């Protein structure tokens, strides 16, 4: 009997506080789902957050249509938020042979807390700044982390390309915390390392 193919999960998080409907819409778009399928992904899990439920429900209503059925073969699930944190959901994108999972990817808004948690897991990370927020550092933080080789920074409209870049990033990912940090910095919490290295912290 043939064993089932291993899962490959893309987990998307928009965070707990701010709305980010354009990101939710972008990851449910047929072009992005087709890109996931071409890269061997089997599952998309979306934390759609505040105000994202109507977009996700509309997708569920439409996905059995002929157009949706022929555009992808990805299992799509979603939820608003987990008050216990998103560590369990992020770890679904980690390789785990015992549980039948290949290494996947995480797509996240550019909040420092979500970025730190994903970087700790060593999973390819696509960071999408939420430009609707006022007085925020998301764009600057995303570009700096990409420059240093830790993430792929992307606009939500460019996600089909960004998820392909994440596959390339997998082979050359930088370890976090930075390996050239002094020993005292290595012992700090990751939030402290990010603050010291980049000057950013939520």
């Amino acid at each position: 009997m043939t064993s089932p193919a291993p899962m490959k999960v893309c987990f998307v998080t928009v965070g707990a506080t701010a709305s980010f409907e354009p990101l939710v819409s972008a990851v449910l778009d047929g072009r992005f789902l087709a890109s996931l399928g071409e890269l061997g992904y089997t599952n998309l899990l979306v934390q759609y957050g505040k105000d994202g439920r109507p977009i996700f429900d509309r997708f569920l209503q439409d996905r059995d249509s002929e157009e949706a059925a022929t555009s992808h073969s990805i299992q799509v699930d979603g939820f608003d938020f987990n008050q216990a944190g998103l560590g369990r959901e992020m770890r679904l994108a980690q390789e785990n042979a015992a549980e039948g999972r290949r290494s996947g990817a995480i797509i996240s808004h550019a909040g420092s807390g979500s970025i730190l948690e994903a970087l700790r897991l060593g999973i390819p990370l696509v960071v999408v700044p939420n430009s609707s927020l006022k007085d925020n550092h998301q764009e600057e933080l995303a570009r700096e982390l990409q420059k240093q080789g830790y993430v792929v920074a992307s606009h939500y409209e460019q996600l089909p390309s960004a998820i392909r870049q994440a596959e390339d990033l997998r082979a050359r990912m930088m370890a976090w915390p930075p390996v050239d940090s002094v020993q005292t910095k290595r012992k700090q919490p990751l939030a402290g390392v990010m603050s010291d290295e980049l000057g950013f912290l939520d």
Side-chain angles (χ1 to χ4, degrees), residues 3-79:
S3 300
M7 291 175 58
K8 186 176 182 181
V9 178
C10 178
F11 174 58
V12 180
T13 173
V14 303
T17 55
S19 300
F20 201 175
E21 292 101 321
L23 177 56
V24 177
S25 296
V27 299
L28 298 175
D29 182 80
R31 293 169 299 173
F32 178 71
L33 294 170
S35 293
L36 288 181
E38 291 168 5
L39 294 170
Y41 284 85
T42 61
N43 295 73
L44 173 65
L45 178 59
V46 183
Q47 182 264 314
Y48 47 74
K50 181 182 178 182
D51 302 327
R53 180 64 180 269
I55 298 171
F56 190 80
D57 285 349
R58 187 163 57 250
F59 168 80
L60 294 181
Q61 293 170 5
D62 294 343
R63 69 176 175 178
D64 291 331
S65 69
E66 182 178 353
E67 179 180 358
T70 57
S71 64
H72 67 89
S73 58
I74 308 296
Q75 174 65 44
V76 182
D77 299 286
F79 63 101

Side-chain angles (χ1 to χ4, degrees), residues 180-200:
D180 59 350
S181 298
V182 297
Q183 188 64 28
T184 54
K185 286 185 179 179
R186 287 177 182 164
K187 294 179 180 179
Q188 293 180 20
L190 288 178
V193 174
M194 179 173 278
S195 180
D196 288 346
E197 292 289 330
L198 305 178
F200 299 119

Side-chain angles (χ1 to χ4, degrees), residues 17-179:
T17 55
S19 300
F20 201 175
E21 292 101 321
L23 177 56
V24 177
S25 296
V27 299
L28 298 175
D29 182 80
R31 293 169 299 173
F32 178 71
L33 294 170
S35 293
L36 288 181
E38 291 168 5
L39 294 170
Y41 284 85
T42 61
N43 295 73
L44 173 65
L45 178 59
V46 183
Q47 182 264 314
Y48 47 74
K50 181 182 178 182
D51 302 327
R53 180 64 180 269
I55 298 171
F56 190 80
D57 285 349
R58 187 163 57 250
F59 168 80
L60 294 181
Q61 293 170 5
D62 294 343
R63 69 176 175 178
D64 291 331
S65 69
E66 182 178 353
E67 179 180 358
T70 57
S71 64
H72 67 89
S73 58
I74 308 296
Q75 174 65 44
V76 182
D77 299 286
F79 63 101
D80 54 0
F81 193 69
N82 185 345
Q83 294 298 328
L86 298 175
R88 184 183 69 84
E89 288 81 7
M90 286 189 175
R91 286 191 293 274
L92 291 174
Q94 269 189 319
E95 182 174 11
N96 188 320
E99 296 182 5
R101 291 199 312 271
R102 299 164 57 196
S103 179
I106 294 173
I107 298 174
S108 175
H109 71 120
S112 60
S114 296
I115 291 173
L116 284 166
E117 190 162 8
L119 287 175
R120 292 179 64 181
L121 296 174
I123 301 167
L125 175 62
V126 177
V127 175
V128 184
N130 187 345
S131 60
S132 69
L133 301 179
K134 295 181 179 179
D135 301 321
N136 78 92
H137 54 243
Q138 289 201 359
E139 181 74 29
E140 190 177 1
L141 174 57
R143 297 302 173 190
E144 182 64 25
L145 286 171
Q146 177 173 258
K147 179 181 177 181
Q148 295 194 23
Y150 295 106
V151 308
V152 174
S154 175
H155 189 275
Y156 58 82
E157 292 182 344
Q158 304 300 322
L159 284 178
S161 173
I163 195 65
R164 295 180 185 279
Q165 294 177 52
E167 292 298 305
D168 295 335
L169 178 65
R170 190 187 311 281
R172 53 180 174 79
M173 283 182 65
M174 299 285 289
W176 186 275
V179 295

